[in-house]
Tab-separated table of all heavy atoms in Angstrom:
chain	number	residue	atom	x	y	z
X	13	MET	N	89.523	-59.052	104.818
X	13	MET	CA	90.954	-58.848	105.201
X	13	MET	C	91.359	-57.423	104.948
X	13	MET	O	92.187	-57.144	104.135
X	13	MET	CB	91.884	-59.781	104.466
X	13	MET	CG	91.643	-61.272	104.840
X	13	MET	SD	92.930	-62.397	104.366
X	13	MET	CE	92.841	-62.262	102.605
X	14	THR	N	90.805	-56.500	105.691
X	14	THR	CA	91.110	-55.105	105.553
X	14	THR	C	92.060	-54.565	106.645
X	14	THR	O	92.621	-53.501	106.531
X	14	THR	CB	89.922	-54.254	105.442
X	14	THR	OG1	89.196	-54.360	106.646
X	14	THR	CG2	89.062	-54.563	104.260
X	15	TYR	N	92.160	-55.368	107.745
X	15	TYR	CA	92.964	-54.916	108.860
X	15	TYR	C	94.455	-55.178	108.587
X	15	TYR	O	94.821	-56.259	108.135
X	15	TYR	CB	92.626	-55.629	110.147
X	15	TYR	CG	91.288	-55.239	110.739
X	15	TYR	CD1	90.416	-54.312	110.098
X	15	TYR	CD2	90.860	-55.736	111.948
X	15	TYR	CE1	89.236	-54.013	110.619
X	15	TYR	CE2	89.599	-55.357	112.502
X	15	TYR	CZ	88.856	-54.447	111.818
X	15	TYR	OH	87.646	-54.189	112.392
X	16	VAL	N	95.222	-54.175	108.838
X	16	VAL	CA	96.703	-54.323	108.711
X	16	VAL	C	97.439	-54.054	110.014
X	16	VAL	O	97.185	-53.008	110.650
X	16	VAL	CB	97.207	-53.337	107.603
X	16	VAL	CG1	98.767	-53.389	107.459
X	16	VAL	CG2	96.530	-53.577	106.255
X	17	PRO	N	98.203	-54.963	110.510
X	17	PRO	CA	98.937	-54.770	111.729
X	17	PRO	C	100.270	-54.065	111.577
X	17	PRO	O	100.906	-54.236	110.517
X	17	PRO	CB	99.157	-56.195	112.227
X	17	PRO	CG	99.249	-56.998	111.024
X	17	PRO	CD	98.398	-56.301	109.926
X	18	HIS	N	100.629	-53.224	112.480
X	18	HIS	CA	101.999	-52.611	112.510
X	18	HIS	C	102.624	-52.911	113.846
X	18	HIS	O	102.005	-52.854	114.847
X	18	HIS	CB	101.773	-51.058	112.330
X	18	HIS	CG	101.203	-50.740	111.010
X	18	HIS	ND1	101.941	-50.694	109.841
X	18	HIS	CD2	99.935	-50.415	110.704
X	18	HIS	CE1	101.060	-50.303	108.843
X	18	HIS	NE2	99.861	-50.187	109.358
X	19	ILE	N	103.925	-53.169	113.770
X	19	ILE	CA	104.628	-53.584	114.973
X	19	ILE	C	105.496	-52.308	115.492
X	19	ILE	O	106.165	-51.832	114.597
X	19	ILE	CB	105.638	-54.749	114.731
X	19	ILE	CG1	104.968	-55.919	114.096
X	19	ILE	CG2	106.339	-55.118	116.072
X	19	ILE	CD1	104.032	-56.699	115.001
X	20	ASP	N	105.347	-52.009	116.713
X	20	ASP	CA	106.240	-50.968	117.312
X	20	ASP	C	107.518	-51.787	117.698
X	20	ASP	O	107.574	-52.514	118.706
X	20	ASP	CB	105.585	-50.336	118.505
X	20	ASP	CG	106.431	-49.297	119.193
X	20	ASP	OD1	107.750	-49.376	119.007
X	20	ASP	OD2	105.946	-48.489	119.961
X	21	GLU	N	108.575	-51.597	116.919
X	21	GLU	CA	109.747	-52.410	117.125
X	21	GLU	C	110.474	-52.113	118.484
X	21	GLU	O	111.160	-52.973	119.031
X	21	GLU	CB	110.778	-52.003	116.027
X	21	GLU	CG	110.225	-52.488	114.677
X	21	GLU	CD	111.229	-52.114	113.504
X	21	GLU	OE1	112.284	-51.587	113.788
X	21	GLU	OE2	110.859	-52.332	112.372
X	22	LEU	N	110.288	-50.917	119.011
X	22	LEU	CA	110.817	-50.565	120.338
X	22	LEU	C	110.043	-51.181	121.396
X	22	LEU	O	110.610	-51.441	122.532
X	22	LEU	CB	110.958	-49.064	120.442
X	22	LEU	CG	111.854	-48.345	119.472
X	22	LEU	CD1	111.758	-46.846	119.677
X	22	LEU	CD2	113.308	-48.872	119.558
X	23	ALA	N	108.792	-51.354	121.158
X	23	ALA	CA	107.915	-51.960	122.272
X	23	ALA	C	107.940	-53.504	122.301
X	23	ALA	O	107.692	-54.102	123.319
X	23	ALA	CB	106.507	-51.389	122.096
X	24	CYS	N	108.172	-54.046	121.100
X	24	CYS	CA	108.049	-55.531	121.005
X	24	CYS	C	109.182	-56.236	121.813
X	24	CYS	O	110.301	-55.857	121.731
X	24	CYS	CB	108.221	-55.970	119.540
X	24	CYS	SG	108.301	-57.761	119.298
X	25	ALA	N	108.739	-57.156	122.722
X	25	ALA	CA	109.680	-57.864	123.543
X	25	ALA	C	109.781	-59.319	123.098
X	25	ALA	O	110.286	-60.136	123.867
X	25	ALA	CB	109.229	-57.735	125.003
X	26	ALA	N	109.336	-59.634	121.946
X	26	ALA	CA	109.506	-60.968	121.322
X	26	ALA	C	108.886	-62.063	122.188
X	26	ALA	O	109.423	-63.194	122.312
X	26	ALA	CB	110.989	-61.257	121.031
X	27	HIS	N	107.791	-61.777	122.843
X	27	HIS	CA	107.050	-62.828	123.574
X	27	HIS	C	106.629	-63.958	122.699
X	27	HIS	O	106.527	-65.128	123.110
X	27	HIS	CB	105.856	-62.215	124.294
X	27	HIS	CG	106.155	-61.094	125.247
X	27	HIS	ND1	106.781	-61.356	126.469
X	27	HIS	CD2	105.894	-59.840	125.212
X	27	HIS	CE1	106.913	-60.233	127.122
X	27	HIS	NE2	106.341	-59.270	126.355
X	28	GLY	N	106.176	-63.611	121.555
X	28	GLY	CA	105.730	-64.675	120.569
X	28	GLY	C	104.249	-64.909	120.592
X	28	GLY	O	103.771	-65.761	119.831
X	29	ASP	N	103.516	-64.282	121.411
X	29	ASP	CA	102.069	-64.532	121.427
X	29	ASP	C	101.383	-64.256	120.114
X	29	ASP	O	100.460	-64.993	119.644
X	29	ASP	CB	101.397	-63.576	122.464
X	29	ASP	CG	102.010	-63.837	123.887
X	29	ASP	OD1	103.234	-63.803	124.040
X	29	ASP	OD2	101.144	-64.018	124.817
X	30	CYS	N	101.876	-63.199	119.467
X	30	CYS	CA	101.209	-62.895	118.145
X	30	CYS	C	101.397	-63.984	117.091
X	30	CYS	O	100.516	-64.366	116.397
X	30	CYS	CB	101.768	-61.544	117.591
X	30	CYS	SG	103.546	-61.497	117.414
X	31	GLN	N	102.610	-64.594	117.081
X	31	GLN	CA	102.896	-65.695	116.158
X	31	GLN	C	102.117	-66.873	116.558
X	31	GLN	O	101.676	-67.646	115.687
X	31	GLN	CB	104.386	-65.931	116.212
X	31	GLN	CG	104.849	-67.154	115.310
X	31	GLN	CD	106.354	-67.378	115.334
X	31	GLN	OE1	107.089	-66.900	114.489
X	31	GLN	NE2	106.820	-67.975	116.409
X	32	ASP	N	101.942	-67.133	117.809
X	32	ASP	CA	101.107	-68.281	118.271
X	32	ASP	C	99.684	-68.214	117.805
X	32	ASP	O	99.101	-69.182	117.384
X	32	ASP	CB	101.152	-68.399	119.806
X	32	ASP	CG	102.526	-68.808	120.326
X	32	ASP	OD1	103.415	-69.248	119.590
X	32	ASP	OD2	102.734	-68.601	121.559
X	33	ILE	N	99.203	-66.963	117.815
X	33	ILE	CA	97.775	-66.806	117.413
X	33	ILE	C	97.611	-66.718	115.932
X	33	ILE	O	96.670	-67.311	115.388
X	33	ILE	CB	97.160	-65.509	118.143
X	33	ILE	CG1	97.128	-65.713	119.582
X	33	ILE	CG2	95.846	-65.111	117.516
X	33	ILE	CD1	96.793	-64.476	120.403
X	34	ALA	N	98.509	-66.050	115.247
X	34	ALA	CA	98.353	-65.833	113.806
X	34	ALA	C	99.705	-66.073	113.108
X	34	ALA	O	100.378	-65.169	112.677
X	34	ALA	CB	97.834	-64.438	113.531
X	35	PRO	N	100.090	-67.371	113.000
X	35	PRO	CA	101.418	-67.667	112.369
X	35	PRO	C	101.596	-67.267	110.872
X	35	PRO	O	102.696	-67.191	110.431
X	35	PRO	CB	101.558	-69.204	112.634
X	35	PRO	CG	100.151	-69.723	112.785
X	35	PRO	CD	99.419	-68.583	113.451
X	36	ASP	N	100.493	-67.097	110.234
X	36	ASP	CA	100.562	-66.667	108.800
X	36	ASP	C	100.773	-65.148	108.662
X	36	ASP	O	101.068	-64.638	107.655
X	36	ASP	CB	99.283	-67.050	108.055
X	36	ASP	CG	99.116	-68.552	107.861
X	36	ASP	OD1	100.238	-69.283	107.931
X	36	ASP	OD2	98.005	-68.997	107.776
X	37	VAL	N	100.532	-64.420	109.837
X	37	VAL	CA	100.658	-62.990	109.823
X	37	VAL	C	101.897	-62.494	110.441
X	37	VAL	O	102.529	-61.527	109.929
X	37	VAL	CB	99.368	-62.360	110.539
X	37	VAL	CG1	99.487	-60.881	110.433
X	37	VAL	CG2	98.153	-62.913	109.837
X	38	PHE	N	102.373	-63.105	111.542
X	38	PHE	CA	103.464	-62.666	112.327
X	38	PHE	C	104.557	-63.689	112.404
X	38	PHE	O	104.248	-64.931	112.537
X	38	PHE	CB	103.146	-62.339	113.788
X	38	PHE	CG	102.007	-61.251	113.822
X	38	PHE	CD1	100.653	-61.647	113.981
X	38	PHE	CD2	102.343	-59.965	113.860
X	38	PHE	CE1	99.625	-60.769	114.098
X	38	PHE	CE2	101.294	-58.980	113.935
X	38	PHE	CZ	99.919	-59.363	113.995
X	39	ARG	N	105.793	-63.312	112.280
X	39	ARG	CA	106.910	-64.210	112.659
X	39	ARG	C	107.761	-63.432	113.608
X	39	ARG	O	108.027	-62.290	113.574
X	39	ARG	CB	107.712	-64.513	111.358
X	39	ARG	CG	108.712	-65.668	111.632
X	39	ARG	CD	109.610	-65.956	110.420
X	39	ARG	NE	110.571	-64.885	110.239
X	39	ARG	CZ	110.840	-64.505	109.070
X	39	ARG	NH1	110.250	-64.914	107.884
X	39	ARG	NH2	111.680	-63.473	108.867
X	40	VAL	N	108.241	-64.198	114.661
X	40	VAL	CA	109.038	-63.644	115.644
X	40	VAL	C	110.479	-64.130	115.615
X	40	VAL	O	110.681	-65.358	115.816
X	40	VAL	CB	108.428	-63.848	117.062
X	40	VAL	CG1	109.237	-63.189	118.162
X	40	VAL	CG2	106.962	-63.305	117.097
X	41	ASP	N	111.444	-63.286	115.403
X	41	ASP	CA	112.835	-63.648	115.511
X	41	ASP	C	113.341	-62.881	116.705
X	41	ASP	O	113.006	-63.133	117.801
X	41	ASP	CB	113.561	-63.364	114.236
X	41	ASP	CG	113.030	-64.235	113.013
X	41	ASP	OD1	112.729	-65.419	113.312
X	41	ASP	OD2	112.946	-63.781	111.957
X	42	ASP	N	114.162	-61.900	116.454
X	42	ASP	CA	114.538	-60.953	117.583
X	42	ASP	C	113.425	-60.114	117.916
X	42	ASP	O	113.219	-59.733	119.115
X	42	ASP	CB	115.727	-60.054	117.041
X	42	ASP	CG	116.967	-60.858	116.823
X	42	ASP	OD1	117.100	-62.028	117.412
X	42	ASP	OD2	117.869	-60.468	116.065
X	43	ILE	N	112.607	-59.669	116.939
X	43	ILE	CA	111.334	-58.997	117.260
X	43	ILE	C	110.296	-59.533	116.225
X	43	ILE	O	110.679	-60.304	115.287
X	43	ILE	CB	111.444	-57.377	117.036
X	43	ILE	CG1	111.869	-57.192	115.642
X	43	ILE	CG2	112.380	-56.840	118.056
X	43	ILE	CD1	111.730	-55.664	115.256
X	44	ALA	N	109.111	-59.168	116.390
X	44	ALA	CA	107.996	-59.623	115.508
X	44	ALA	C	108.084	-58.779	114.225
X	44	ALA	O	108.376	-57.628	114.181
X	44	ALA	CB	106.675	-59.435	116.086
X	45	VAL	N	107.806	-59.457	113.144
X	45	VAL	CA	107.594	-58.879	111.807
X	45	VAL	C	106.358	-59.441	111.178
X	45	VAL	O	105.909	-60.482	111.439
X	45	VAL	CB	108.830	-59.181	110.878
X	45	VAL	CG1	110.113	-58.483	111.314
X	45	VAL	CG2	109.052	-60.651	110.687
X	46	VAL	N	105.732	-58.521	110.381
X	46	VAL	CA	104.596	-58.865	109.639
X	46	VAL	C	104.940	-59.572	108.362
X	46	VAL	O	105.636	-59.040	107.537
X	46	VAL	CB	103.663	-57.682	109.359
X	46	VAL	CG1	102.426	-58.071	108.556
X	46	VAL	CG2	103.242	-56.979	110.662
X	47	ILE	N	104.484	-60.823	108.213
X	47	ILE	CA	104.884	-61.659	107.011
X	47	ILE	C	103.706	-61.912	106.062
X	47	ILE	O	103.924	-62.463	104.963
X	47	ILE	CB	105.543	-62.920	107.449
X	47	ILE	CG1	104.545	-63.760	108.310
X	47	ILE	CG2	106.812	-62.694	108.171
X	47	ILE	CD1	105.006	-65.197	108.439
X	48	GLY	N	102.495	-61.489	106.477
X	48	GLY	CA	101.350	-61.793	105.622
X	48	GLY	C	100.096	-61.221	106.110
X	48	GLY	O	100.120	-60.374	106.987
X	49	THR	N	99.025	-61.676	105.502
X	49	THR	CA	97.711	-61.142	105.930
X	49	THR	C	96.907	-62.292	106.496
X	49	THR	O	97.238	-63.437	106.466
X	49	THR	CB	96.969	-60.584	104.751
X	49	THR	OG1	96.814	-61.574	103.756
X	49	THR	CG2	97.716	-59.442	104.135
X	50	GLY	N	95.763	-61.978	107.083
X	50	GLY	CA	94.885	-62.944	107.654
X	50	GLY	C	93.532	-62.354	108.008
X	50	GLY	O	93.266	-61.191	107.680
X	51	PRO	N	92.628	-63.167	108.590
X	51	PRO	CA	91.287	-62.652	108.918
X	51	PRO	C	91.360	-61.525	109.835
X	51	PRO	O	92.220	-61.529	110.758
X	51	PRO	CB	90.597	-63.844	109.511
X	51	PRO	CG	91.442	-65.098	109.095
X	51	PRO	CD	92.849	-64.535	108.796
X	52	ASP	N	90.460	-60.571	109.724
X	52	ASP	CA	90.523	-59.362	110.517
X	52	ASP	C	90.433	-59.753	112.070
X	52	ASP	O	91.166	-59.140	112.874
X	52	ASP	CB	89.324	-58.434	110.166
X	52	ASP	CG	89.499	-57.727	108.839
X	52	ASP	OD1	90.648	-57.789	108.280
X	52	ASP	OD2	88.500	-57.184	108.344
X	53	ASP	N	89.568	-60.663	112.333
X	53	ASP	CA	89.332	-61.020	113.777
X	53	ASP	C	90.593	-61.616	114.390
X	53	ASP	O	90.869	-61.430	115.513
X	53	ASP	CB	88.066	-61.844	113.925
X	53	ASP	CG	88.139	-63.212	113.157
X	53	ASP	OD1	88.955	-63.277	112.241
X	53	ASP	OD2	87.343	-64.109	113.519
X	54	LEU	N	91.308	-62.361	113.563
X	54	LEU	CA	92.565	-63.012	114.037
X	54	LEU	C	93.640	-61.997	114.285
X	54	LEU	O	94.382	-62.024	115.300
X	54	LEU	CB	93.041	-64.062	113.030
X	54	LEU	CG	93.963	-65.101	113.553
X	54	LEU	CD1	93.313	-65.960	114.640
X	54	LEU	CD2	94.485	-65.932	112.423
X	55	ILE	N	93.770	-61.018	113.387
X	55	ILE	CA	94.726	-59.882	113.517
X	55	ILE	C	94.395	-59.117	114.778
X	55	ILE	O	95.292	-58.746	115.582
X	55	ILE	CB	94.795	-59.023	112.281
X	55	ILE	CG1	95.425	-59.788	111.146
X	55	ILE	CG2	95.537	-57.762	112.608
X	55	ILE	CD1	95.346	-59.139	109.789
X	56	LEU	N	93.124	-58.823	115.022
X	56	LEU	CA	92.693	-58.056	116.139
X	56	LEU	C	93.028	-58.858	117.423
X	56	LEU	O	93.477	-58.276	118.439
X	56	LEU	CB	91.241	-57.674	116.071
X	56	LEU	CG	90.693	-56.821	117.126
X	56	LEU	CD1	91.424	-55.453	117.170
X	56	LEU	CD2	89.163	-56.514	116.869
X	57	LYS	N	92.701	-60.142	117.397
X	57	LYS	CA	92.942	-61.003	118.564
X	57	LYS	C	94.396	-60.998	118.929
X	57	LYS	O	94.769	-60.950	120.104
X	57	LYS	CB	92.427	-62.429	118.269
X	57	LYS	CG	92.395	-63.336	119.436
X	57	LYS	CD	91.784	-64.654	119.009
X	57	LYS	CE	91.994	-65.720	120.014
X	57	LYS	NZ	91.603	-67.097	119.581
X	58	ALA	N	95.270	-61.113	117.931
X	58	ALA	CA	96.761	-61.119	118.189
X	58	ALA	C	97.185	-59.826	118.778
X	58	ALA	O	97.954	-59.783	119.737
X	58	ALA	CB	97.483	-61.400	116.873
X	59	ALA	N	96.679	-58.704	118.243
X	59	ALA	CA	97.035	-57.437	118.838
X	59	ALA	C	96.620	-57.270	120.288
X	59	ALA	O	97.348	-56.762	121.105
X	59	ALA	CB	96.459	-56.341	117.947
X	60	GLN	N	95.404	-57.721	120.489
X	60	GLN	CA	94.914	-57.621	121.938
X	60	GLN	C	95.645	-58.516	122.891
X	60	GLN	O	95.749	-58.203	124.107
X	60	GLN	CB	93.386	-57.926	121.942
X	60	GLN	CG	92.514	-56.894	121.203
X	60	GLN	CD	91.096	-57.403	121.066
X	60	GLN	OE1	90.833	-58.588	120.943
X	60	GLN	NE2	90.181	-56.433	120.881
X	61	ALA	N	96.266	-59.560	122.328
X	61	ALA	CA	96.966	-60.534	123.260
X	61	ALA	C	98.412	-60.130	123.450
X	61	ALA	O	99.083	-60.648	124.262
X	61	ALA	CB	96.946	-61.872	122.575
X	62	CYS	N	98.911	-59.079	122.687
X	62	CYS	CA	100.321	-58.702	122.891
X	62	CYS	C	100.535	-58.099	124.238
X	62	CYS	O	99.953	-57.089	124.644
X	62	CYS	CB	100.717	-57.671	121.799
X	62	CYS	SG	102.399	-57.046	122.002
X	63	PRO	N	101.411	-58.709	125.043
X	63	PRO	CA	101.681	-58.277	126.433
X	63	PRO	C	102.313	-56.882	126.469
X	63	PRO	O	102.199	-56.229	127.442
X	63	PRO	CB	102.631	-59.262	127.012
X	63	PRO	CG	102.530	-60.473	126.071
X	63	PRO	CD	102.227	-59.940	124.749
X	64	SER	N	102.978	-56.525	125.354
X	64	SER	CA	103.627	-55.227	125.371
X	64	SER	C	102.893	-54.148	124.555
X	64	SER	O	103.399	-53.019	124.450
X	64	SER	CB	105.035	-55.424	124.619
X	64	SER	OG	105.830	-56.308	125.350
X	65	ALA	N	101.682	-54.492	124.163
X	65	ALA	CA	100.854	-53.507	123.388
X	65	ALA	C	101.644	-52.921	122.227
X	65	ALA	O	101.624	-51.679	121.998
X	65	ALA	CB	100.278	-52.369	124.273
X	66	ALA	N	102.373	-53.833	121.556
X	66	ALA	CA	103.309	-53.351	120.445
X	66	ALA	C	102.618	-53.407	119.084
X	66	ALA	O	103.209	-53.033	118.113
X	66	ALA	CB	104.503	-54.213	120.466
X	67	ILE	N	101.324	-53.847	119.074
X	67	ILE	CA	100.731	-54.079	117.705
X	67	ILE	C	99.559	-53.071	117.599
X	67	ILE	O	98.644	-53.025	118.442
X	67	ILE	CB	100.125	-55.536	117.566
X	67	ILE	CG1	101.242	-56.547	117.746
X	67	ILE	CG2	99.486	-55.664	116.163
X	67	ILE	CD1	100.782	-57.961	117.746
X	68	THR	N	99.661	-52.238	116.581
X	68	THR	CA	98.632	-51.337	116.180
X	68	THR	C	97.864	-51.922	114.936
X	68	THR	O	98.488	-52.466	114.032
X	68	THR	CB	99.203	-49.969	115.808
X	68	THR	OG1	99.855	-49.443	116.928
X	68	THR	CG2	98.091	-49.042	115.416
X	69	VAL	N	96.539	-51.789	114.979
X	69	VAL	CA	95.823	-52.391	113.843
X	69	VAL	C	95.112	-51.274	113.184
X	69	VAL	O	94.346	-50.451	113.798
X	69	VAL	CB	94.803	-53.433	114.320
X	69	VAL	CG1	93.960	-53.954	113.124
X	69	VAL	CG2	95.425	-54.627	115.050
X	70	VAL	N	95.241	-51.171	111.818
X	70	VAL	CA	94.645	-50.099	111.022
X	70	VAL	C	93.705	-50.705	109.929
X	70	VAL	O	94.121	-51.720	109.347
X	70	VAL	CB	95.794	-49.228	110.374
X	70	VAL	CG1	95.170	-48.219	109.405
X	70	VAL	CG2	96.622	-48.567	111.436
X	71	ASP	N	92.608	-50.120	109.804
X	71	ASP	CA	91.698	-50.530	108.710
X	71	ASP	C	92.327	-49.912	107.407
X	71	ASP	O	92.175	-48.643	107.258
X	71	ASP	CB	90.309	-50.032	109.026
X	71	ASP	CG	89.327	-50.566	108.010
X	71	ASP	OD1	89.603	-50.640	106.770
X	71	ASP	OD2	88.170	-50.953	108.419
X	72	SER	N	92.729	-50.742	106.484
X	72	SER	CA	93.305	-50.232	105.306
X	72	SER	C	92.364	-49.565	104.400
X	72	SER	O	92.769	-48.755	103.474
X	72	SER	CB	94.117	-51.366	104.579
X	72	SER	OG	93.156	-52.393	104.165
X	73	THR	N	91.092	-49.822	104.544
X	73	THR	CA	90.072	-49.163	103.671
X	73	THR	C	89.777	-47.762	104.173
X	73	THR	O	89.789	-46.783	103.388
X	73	THR	CB	88.771	-49.963	103.677
X	73	THR	OG1	89.133	-51.317	103.274
X	73	THR	CG2	87.747	-49.393	102.752
X	74	SER	N	89.502	-47.609	105.457
X	74	SER	CA	89.096	-46.317	105.974
X	74	SER	C	90.270	-45.514	106.527
X	74	SER	O	90.203	-44.305	106.748
X	74	SER	CB	88.035	-46.484	107.095
X	74	SER	OG	88.683	-47.167	108.223
X	75	GLY	N	91.398	-46.168	106.801
X	75	GLY	CA	92.552	-45.549	107.440
X	75	GLY	C	92.356	-45.344	108.941
X	75	GLY	O	93.264	-44.864	109.651
X	76	GLU	N	91.299	-45.859	109.472
X	76	GLU	CA	90.958	-45.733	110.937
X	76	GLU	C	91.833	-46.695	111.735
X	76	GLU	O	92.088	-47.861	111.314
X	76	GLU	CB	89.487	-46.117	111.051
X	76	GLU	CG	89.027	-46.008	112.480
X	76	GLU	CD	87.587	-46.536	112.635
X	76	GLU	OE1	86.931	-46.867	111.620
X	76	GLU	OE2	87.031	-46.568	113.735
X	77	THR	N	92.279	-46.192	112.897
X	77	THR	CA	93.056	-47.071	113.859
X	77	THR	C	91.937	-47.875	114.569
X	77	THR	O	91.095	-47.298	115.264
X	77	THR	CB	93.870	-46.255	114.754
X	77	THR	OG1	94.846	-45.581	114.028
X	77	THR	CG2	94.545	-47.157	115.768
X	78	ILE	N	91.995	-49.242	114.457
X	78	ILE	CA	91.108	-50.089	115.123
X	78	ILE	C	91.538	-50.404	116.490
X	78	ILE	O	90.742	-50.543	117.435
X	78	ILE	CB	90.918	-51.396	114.311
X	78	ILE	CG1	90.527	-51.096	112.855
X	78	ILE	CG2	89.941	-52.368	114.995
X	78	ILE	CD1	89.201	-50.337	112.738
X	79	TYR	N	92.847	-50.598	116.661
X	79	TYR	CA	93.337	-50.934	117.939
X	79	TYR	C	94.761	-50.377	118.120
X	79	TYR	O	95.531	-50.479	117.129
X	79	TYR	CB	93.400	-52.495	118.189
X	79	TYR	CG	93.909	-52.997	119.518
X	79	TYR	CD1	93.016	-53.056	120.600
X	79	TYR	CD2	95.232	-53.263	119.686
X	79	TYR	CE1	93.507	-53.492	121.852
X	79	TYR	CE2	95.685	-53.644	120.875
X	79	TYR	CZ	94.791	-53.780	121.951
X	79	TYR	OH	95.235	-54.175	123.202
X	80	PRO	N	95.187	-49.873	119.216
X	80	PRO	CA	94.397	-49.756	120.496
X	80	PRO	C	93.467	-48.561	120.399
X	80	PRO	O	93.570	-47.748	119.536
X	80	PRO	CB	95.553	-49.520	121.541
X	80	PRO	CG	96.625	-48.769	120.729
X	80	PRO	CD	96.562	-49.337	119.375
A	10	SF4	S1	103.105	-60.494	121.048
A	10	SF4	FE1	103.833	-58.353	120.987
A	10	SF4	S2	105.736	-58.331	122.149
A	10	SF4	FE2	105.285	-60.477	121.646
A	10	SF4	S3	106.366	-60.829	119.649
A	10	SF4	FE3	104.257	-60.177	119.120
A	10	SF4	S4	104.428	-57.949	118.893
A	10	SF4	FE4	106.240	-58.598	119.960
């Protein structure tokens, strides 16, 4: 669990896809917020599924941007 998601609040359109895929990591009210951690592959999957490309995933160990 080294991947950390970041939400672009201006890009998020509250579709809810991220919460559907990883409900322990994302909660969507007016916009999505990060509420926890989860498996790296699940966080990446949620980011890739975001229709607004509002989720950036960073490897907290290396500092590398994993997605996009
Ligand atoms: S899937 Fe993307 S646009 Fe939709 S709520 Fe999550 S971050 Fe926001």
Side-chain angles (χ1 to χ4, degrees):
M13 294 196 294
T14 59
Y15 288 4
V16 176
H18 298 277
I19 308 288
D20 180 340
E21 297 178 2
L22 297 177
C24 175
H27 298 291
D29 301 50
C30 56
Q31 179 179 260
D32 291 344
I33 291 171
D36 292 336
V37 181
F38 302 95
R39 190 183 72 223
V40 181
D41 296 321
D42 293 337
I43 58 166
V45 291
V46 177
I47 58 166
T49 60
D52 289 348
D53 59 343
L54 199 64
I55 289 173
L56 186 57
K57 190 176 168 190
Q60 291 169 335
C62 175
S64 299
I67 303 174
T68 300
V69 179
V70 174
D71 186 321
S72 61
T73 303
S74 67
E76 181 186 358
T77 298
I78 304 300
Y79 182 85

